[in-house]
């Protein structure tokens, strides 16, 4: 069994769509970044890579590489999951937290969970996702950006508990 932790943060800016968990969330600003800047999926990619001891997202998708400009982070997640699963790992569970003062994310969480479960080839019950605020404190509280924390539990095929 392996445990991975991922964290990501991006600033909110004018003129960009807000994409979280592969879902377009209606909001007047979006996250700034080289790809679609999906902090949730970037943190998940880092958690998967960390659990498998394969480095971090920047090693595979460097921001200066034009091929990743504007790309959907669902594509990045799929590419990393293919690499991790070829090593014989399967997901036990994902637990994720989005940190944003605005917009209200609760209505979009089910669709985000579905995207993650589909790409990782797991059931919805294996993907936990929550949204919280910082009660007005810090850069997220001031509405300057959004952060995400993700933990993932990986099993080698032979280690998967039968009741999972």
């Amino acid at each position: 069994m392996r445990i991975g932790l991922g964290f990501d943060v991006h600033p909110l800016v004018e003129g960009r769509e807000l994409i979280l968990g592969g879902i377009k969330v209606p909001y007047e600003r979006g996250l700034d970044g080289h790809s679609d800047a999906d902090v949730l999926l970037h943190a998940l990619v880092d958690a998967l890579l960390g659990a498998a001891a394969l480095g971090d997202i920047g090693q595979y998708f460097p921001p200066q590489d034009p091929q990743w400009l504007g790309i959907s982070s669902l594509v990045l997640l799929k590419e990393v999951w293919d690499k991790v699963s070829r090593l014989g790992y399967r997901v036990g569970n994902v637990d994720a937290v989005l940190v944003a003062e605005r917009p209200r994310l609760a209505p979009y969480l089910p669709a985000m969970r579905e995207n993650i479960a589909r790409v990782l080839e797991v059931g919805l019950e294996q993907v936990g996702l929550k949204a919280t605020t910082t009660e007005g404190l810090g850069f997220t509280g001031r509405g300057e950006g959004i952060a995400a924390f993700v933990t993932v539990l990986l099993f080698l095929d032979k280690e998967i508990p039968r009741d999972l």
Side-chain angles (χ1 to χ4, degrees):
M1 152 175 35
R2 307 289 291 267
I3 298 171
L5 172 64
F7 170 75
D8 196 31
V9 61
H10 284 274
L12 284 161
V13 296
E14 301 289 332
R16 296 263 312 204
E17 291 184 335
L18 178 57
I19 308 295
L20 294 169
I23 301 299
K24 183 178 173 184
V25 177
Y27 194 56
E28 65 266 12
R29 294 180 292 157
L31 294 170
D32 192 26
H34 188 70
S35 66
D36 62 6
D38 188 329
V39 293
L40 175 57
L41 297 185
H42 291 186
L44 177 54
V45 164
D46 266 346
L48 289 166
L49 290 169
L54 293 175
D56 65 58
I57 192 170
Q59 291 175 250
Y60 297 91
F61 312 108
Q64 63 275 17
D65 189 332
Q67 74 175 323
W68 309 120
L69 181 63
I71 196 163
S72 168
S73 293
L74 287 168
V75 172
L76 307 182
L77 177 61
K78 175 71 170 130
E79 190 165 315
V80 165
W81 176 240
D82 287 347
K83 182 180 298 298
V84 170
S85 64
R86 278 194 305 272
L87 295 174
Y89 289 107
R90 297 293 170 253
V91 171
N93 76 300
V94 171
D95 188 25
V97 180
L98 280 164
V99 184
E101 205 70 28
R102 292 173 312 280
R104 181 166 158 70
L105 298 175
Y108 307 98
L109 298 181
M112 293 178 204
R113 285 180 65 218
E114 288 175 14
N115 276 346
I116 292 168
R118 179 179 38 78
V119 173
L120 299 182
E121 305 168 272
V122 299
L124 278 176
E125 72 280 1
Q126 291 170 266
V127 180
L129 177 57
K130 301 155 305 277
T132 192
T133 70
T134 56
E135 303 294 331
L137 300 174
F139 72 92
T140 57
R142 291 187 300 271
E144 296 170 7
I146 295 177
F149 297 87
V150 177
T151 57
V152 65
L153 177 63
L154 295 181
F155 291 102
L156 283 171
D157 274 335
K158 62 183 179 180
E159 296 176 331
I160 297 175
R162 295 299 154 217
D163 63 347
L164 198 60

